[in-house]
Amino acid sequence: MKNQQADLEWRDGNIPVSQRFDDPYFSLEDGLAETRYVFLEGNDLPARFRDGFHIAELGFGTGLNLCAALLAWRDAGMTKPLRFTSFEAFPMTTDAMERALAAFPDVAQIAQPLLEQLADGNGTIDLPDLRAEIIYGDARETLPNWDGRADAWFLDGFSPAKNPELWEPQLMKAVGAHTAAGGTCATYTAAGFVRAGLSDGGFSVKRISGFGRKRHMTIGTIESTE
């Protein structure tokens, strides 16, 4: 699966669109603003940041979410490494990532060291303030075998209507099983079967206002045992 790279076409010069799923990798309006609203604010970040905080993600894509999280981590004055794990079935080349991220000057400025480390195909990034791993393959197979537990999840697969595999109820249960007590999740979609899957996975699920033209999105919390 690792060698099955993303099949791309480009819209407006710098917006990558998956030919396999006929879906753009980020909002046509403002991808960085969407990431910050959906995944950072949706997980109550940066307010919840602490040493050792661990973000996990379904769908690495361009790396935009990682870069946005790292910017927020640095802006919050955190000095210990942010931990970040992402599951990706169809990785983009680092050249394609660089082209996509060039649309966001704040991100492009910090992305180069990340892309240089990803270029070897091992899926690891080791910086003074970041420990990241991209786990390649079908998340339905790789996530259940992962031994980590995330404090926050970015659920960023393609549209559930076009990529239902990444939103299957069993996978949403696996997300819940790999979430720390008091952990959260956020996603741009408010599809009923996604919310039901997260609820069955142990999340207390809430539908809130979405980004831009999207009326609603979903957030969830695993109750703390404290």
Side-chain angles (χ1 to χ4, degrees):
M1 184 69 74
K2 179 177 177 179
N3 295 324
Q4 295 191 40
Q5 292 186 335
D7 296 323
L8 303 178
E9 62 182 12
W10 295 86
R11 191 171 300 172
D12 299 331
N14 57 13
I15 298 175
V17 178
S18 168
Q19 293 183 307
R20 181 177 281 105
F21 299 109
D22 187 29
D23 211 20
Y25 275 81
F26 46 71
S27 170
L28 302 180
E29 298 175 57
D30 186 336
L32 181 56
E34 179 181 43
T35 286
R36 286 170 166 160
Y37 179 82
V38 173
F39 298 116
L40 295 181
E41 292 184 33
N43 281 292
D44 194 22
L45 304 176
R48 294 175 54 226
F49 281 156
R50 55 169 174 74
D51 288 350
F53 197 85
H54 195 161
I55 295 171
E57 173 184 60
L58 292 183
F60 185 69
T62 64
L64 178 60
N65 296 340
L66 169 58
C67 290
L70 183 58
L71 277 172
W73 185 259
R74 291 174 176 175
D75 288 345
M78 307 301 293
T79 56
K80 298 293 180 63
L82 170 67
R83 299 169 63 202
F84 193 99
T85 303
S86 188
F87 297 84
E88 174 61 60
F90 303 103
M92 296 175 66
T93 65
T94 51
D95 285 345
M97 290 183 204
E98 183 176 17
R99 177 176 174 180
L101 296 176
F104 311 105
D106 289 350
V107 165
Q109 190 173 1
I110 71 160
Q112 199 59 41
L114 284 65
L115 297 176
E116 288 173 358
Q117 293 198 26
L118 289 177
D120 63 10
N122 289 327
T124 58
I125 302 171
D126 189 353
L127 298 175
D129 57 359
L130 176 66
R131 301 286 187 274
E133 179 182 18
I134 295 85
I135 298 175
Y136 299 112
D138 188 329
R140 294 173 295 179
E141 299 172 0
T142 57
L143 175 54
N145 294 321
W146 182 48
D147 62 2
R149 289 165 68 86
D151 298 297
W153 275 93
F154 297 175
L155 304 179
D156 197 23
F158 292 109
S159 164
K162 298 177 179 180
N163 184 201
E165 299 85 358
L166 211 56
W167 306 95
E168 289 182 357
Q170 285 300 117
L171 185 55
M172 296 300 96
K173 287 183 179 180
V175 168
H178 291 83
T179 303
T184 60
C185 69
T187 179
Y188 64 86
T189 184
F193 82 94
V194 173
R195 288 186 285 119
L198 289 170
S199 180
D200 288 346
F203 287 95
S204 175
V205 176
K206 184 177 181 181
R207 188 175 68 173
I208 63 172
S209 296
F211 175 81
R213 301 177 188 176
K214 294 177 181 174
R215 293 180 60 192
H216 300 112
M217 58 172 274
T218 302
I219 59 175
T221 303
I222 296 282
E223 296 302 324
S224 175
T225 56
E226 296 180 0

